[in-house]
Amino acid sequence: MARIQAIRGMNDILPEETPVWRFLEDTARQVFTQYGIDEVKFPIVEQTALFVRSIGEVTDIVEKEMYTFNDRNGDSLTLRPEGTAGCVRAAEQQGMLYNQVQRFWYSGPMFRYERPQKGRYRQFHQIGVECFGMSGPDIDAELIVMTARLWDRLGLSGHVELELNSIGSAAARGAYKSALVEYLSRYQSDLDEDSQRRLSSNPLRILDSKDAGTQKVLNEAPVFQDYMDADSRDHFDGLRRYLDDVGIAYKVNPKLVRGLDYYSKTVFEWITSSLGAQGTVCGGGRYDGLVEQLGGRPTPAVGFAMGIERLVLMLTGLSLQNSQWASHPDFYVTAVGEGSAAFAFSLAEKVRSAAGTPTVQLHCGGGSFKSQMKKADKSNARYALLIGESEVAAQSVTLKPLRADQEQKTLPAQEFLELIPQILELT
Ligand code: HAM
């Protein structure tokens, strides 16, 4: 029978990669905790209408990338393509938003039916933050400064750049949209096919077009800055002042519009040149209208999400010090000869109970001394504990350093157990 394969664009994350993931997740959790942000978890599946209404009917995500299906009851459900919609739904439903200030983070799998390539997958993972009840630019700035701190802690500063823009209020965007459509309609036949389609559905996304002909037309197009409302302008100036004060470098990119419809005012992305086309490792912005749009009371909100796979690719690709995340057993226990397996088994348990919570890998399944030592070496353990018939008879253990150029030595098991904290400090 044919072997069943994983779904295209959905990856297995193997033991050699999980330590980098853990390093990333642990570091993010520590940084978020420093900023007083609490973790929330919400479902992977929601009603389809939630995503259509929040992300927007004419976005790429809703038009062609969602995993949508009917459940046995005939209800239309969708695997979450992002976290913001579900986070807002959960917080609103639980009565956590009205007249309150909240800071949440979440982490988990998201699903988009995109064409898979390096850094772009159909199941991918995000770590995101969403903040509610704060309308000033201080919280926008704090989130951006916090991500900069995270890059620093991960060793990625200097490999990512911040791009920033303000897309203004909904009214200002409406006026700009009309002017843009009026202008572009005059050059309709010079636009690429996608942009022609977007002219009536989502004209702002045309600004994102990579097509050379369309870009040429855009050179003379009206610019949003001329339409921006005073409130959004003040907000953006305020945000820039905060960032300037703490020395965060950024580039204002007037063409940055993002691919989801719920944004207003601030939008930002952290971009790397080390991942080719999929260079955005983190994106976010303000979405003051979304809570109301989903049936809640007006609530200002701002957040971001980063792609874990892309950050992992960066961390491994840059060959940064993997001692930051690599984990190896302290001891690998081998057993050869009569009675040795039982002795080794109970010794391993005693070692795990010793001070300093040592990590111990017990050789299971027998085999020659040579083959067991090969496994010990492969495990990257710091020491092998050799148990043979003489050790069993004397209730002793032979300690063999595997990473340092030191002599092996045999000592009574009880003495060894007491010495473990000192042994672990040695190397
Ligand atoms: P987004 O820009 O669609 O925003 O996604 C955020 C990040 O997720 C991207 O910058 C990228 O690193 C990663 N990502 C997106 N799609 C894929 C994919 N197919 N494969 C691998 N990584 C991917 C959002 O999702 C918003 N919810 C962010 C936000 C939160 N805005 C406000 N709050």
Side-chain angles (χ1 to χ4, degrees):
M1 250 199 292
R3 202 189 301 150
I4 295 174
Q5 305 270 346
I7 296 168
R8 196 161 113 83
M10 303 204 179
N11 299 316
D12 304 313
I13 296 144
L14 303 178
E16 64 195 38
E17 293 170 84
T18 47
V20 196
W21 281 64
R22 203 163 44 236
F23 167 64
L24 185 58
E25 288 165 334
D26 288 351
T27 310
R29 186 177 308 120
Q30 283 162 13
V31 171
F32 296 161
T33 303
Q34 282 195 288
Y35 284 79
I37 304 175
D38 298 318
E39 183 176 9
V40 286
K41 291 179 186 283
F42 40 88
I44 286 173
V45 185
E46 299 269 1
Q47 291 190 41
T48 302
L50 174 69
F51 301 116
V52 176
R53 266 165 67 182
S54 49
I55 297 168
E57 217 152 339
V58 289
T59 55
D60 283 352
I61 296 179
V62 170
E63 273 187 343
K64 50 189 188 201
E65 294 173 3
M66 295 205 304
Y67 281 89
T68 296
F69 59 97
N70 287 341
D71 71 0
R72 288 172 191 275
N73 209 17
D75 295 330
S76 179
L77 307 182
T78 293
L79 299 186
R80 62 184 186 192
E82 58 105 52
T84 310
C87 187
V88 170
R89 199 269 313 132
E92 172 58 24
Q93 184 175 341
Q94 305 304 331
M96 299 177 84
L97 295 186
Y98 182 57
N99 256 346
Q100 297 169 70
V101 166
Q102 301 286 8
R103 292 171 163 91
F104 299 129
W105 71 268
Y106 53 85
S107 165
M110 309 288 162
F111 303 83
R112 296 184 194 176
Y113 192 82
E114 295 196 78
R115 200 165 47 78
Q117 62 180 84
K118 182 179 168 195
R120 189 167 68 195
Y121 310 103
R122 290 181 174 171
Q123 174 176 312
F124 60 99
H125 296 73
Q126 287 185 344
I127 301 181
V129 172
E130 313 292 350
C131 298
F132 300 96
M134 293 163 277
S135 58
D138 44 1
I139 183 68
D140 305 24
E142 198 181 37
L143 290 187
I144 290 172
V145 170
M146 179 176 75
T147 48
R149 183 182 293 278
L150 179 59
W151 310 143
D152 187 45
R153 295 275 283 277
L154 294 171
L156 293 178
S157 301
H159 302 283
V160 281
E161 280 172 15
L162 174 62
E163 293 197 356
L164 210 58
N165 190 24
S166 174
I167 58 167
S169 67
R173 262 195 324 283
Y176 174 63
K177 240 188 241 178
S178 308
L180 186 68
V181 170
E182 194 192 302
Y183 168 83
L184 291 176
S185 301
R186 282 188 259 142
Y187 302 95
Q188 194 158 356
S189 54
D190 299 331
L191 302 178
D192 62 280
E193 213 175 296
D194 255 357
S195 298
Q196 292 194 12
R197 194 171 47 82
R198 283 181 171 145
L199 204 50
S200 54
S201 62
N202 198 355
L204 289 185
R205 287 304 305 282
I206 298 176
L207 300 176
D208 257 357
S209 168
K210 304 271 183 287
D211 179 76
T214 303
Q215 276 303 328
K216 197 159 163 236
V217 174
L218 284 172
N219 281 339
E220 303 293 316
V223 287
F224 179 68
Q225 267 53 36
D226 299 337
Y227 292 79
M228 177 129 57
D229 54 296
D231 185 33
S232 297
R233 198 184 303 273
D234 288 349
H235 188 98
F236 196 51
D237 291 345
L239 167 61
R240 294 181 59 170
R241 269 197 302 278
Y242 278 116
L243 296 180
D244 293 339
D245 280 353
V246 291
I248 299 282
Y250 55 85
K251 182 176 124 193
V252 175
N253 175 2
K255 290 189 175 150
L256 181 65
V257 290
R258 311 251 319 120
L260 305 97
D261 275 358
Y262 47 62
Y263 293 109
S264 55
K265 294 185 176 163
T266 312
V267 289
F268 67 92
E269 287 185 350
W270 286 95
I271 298 171
T272 178
S273 53
S274 66
L275 291 182
Q278 308 306 320
T280 307
V281 292
C282 174
R286 187 161 272 283
Y287 49 97
D288 290 343
L290 183 59
V291 176
E292 194 179 9
Q293 204 176 306
L294 292 176
R297 310 219 204 173
T299 306
V302 56
F304 67 82
M306 49 199 170
I308 302 188
E309 282 83 355
R310 292 185 190 179
L311 290 167
V312 165
L313 276 171
M314 275 188 86
L315 286 166
T316 47
L318 291 165
S319 324
L320 296 167
Q321 276 244 317
N322 81 346
S323 60
Q324 285 186 98
W325 58 76
S327 64
H328 307 301
D330 297 312
F331 301 104
Y332 191 97
V333 185
T334 66
V336 179
E338 187 75 24
S340 66
F343 184 71
F345 188 95
S346 68
L347 178 78
E349 274 306 291
K350 285 179 192 147
V351 177
R352 292 185 184 109
S353 301
T357 54
T359 48
V360 181
Q361 204 162 319
L362 173 68
H363 182 88
C364 293
S368 69
F369 178 68
K370 198 170 158 206
S371 73
Q372 294 195 28
M373 281 314 290
K374 257 194 192 159
K375 296 259 168 57
D377 221 33
K378 209 170 157 215
S379 77
N380 279 321
R382 290 161 65 184
Y383 295 93
L385 297 180
L386 313 181
I387 308 299
E389 282 171 24
S390 56
E391 280 82 3
V392 177
Q395 297 287 294
S396 63
V397 38
T398 298
L399 178 70
K400 180 177 170 60
L402 297 175
R403 307 275 140 242
D405 201 13
Q406 294 162 356
E407 291 291 295
Q408 69 178 49
K409 58 182 167 198
T410 303
L411 61 174
Q414 194 51 44
E415 192 185 328
F416 162 70
L417 289 171
E418 283 158 18
L419 281 176
I420 283 178
Q422 279 147 272
I423 293 169
L424 292 182
E425 259 175 36
L426 281 181
T427 39

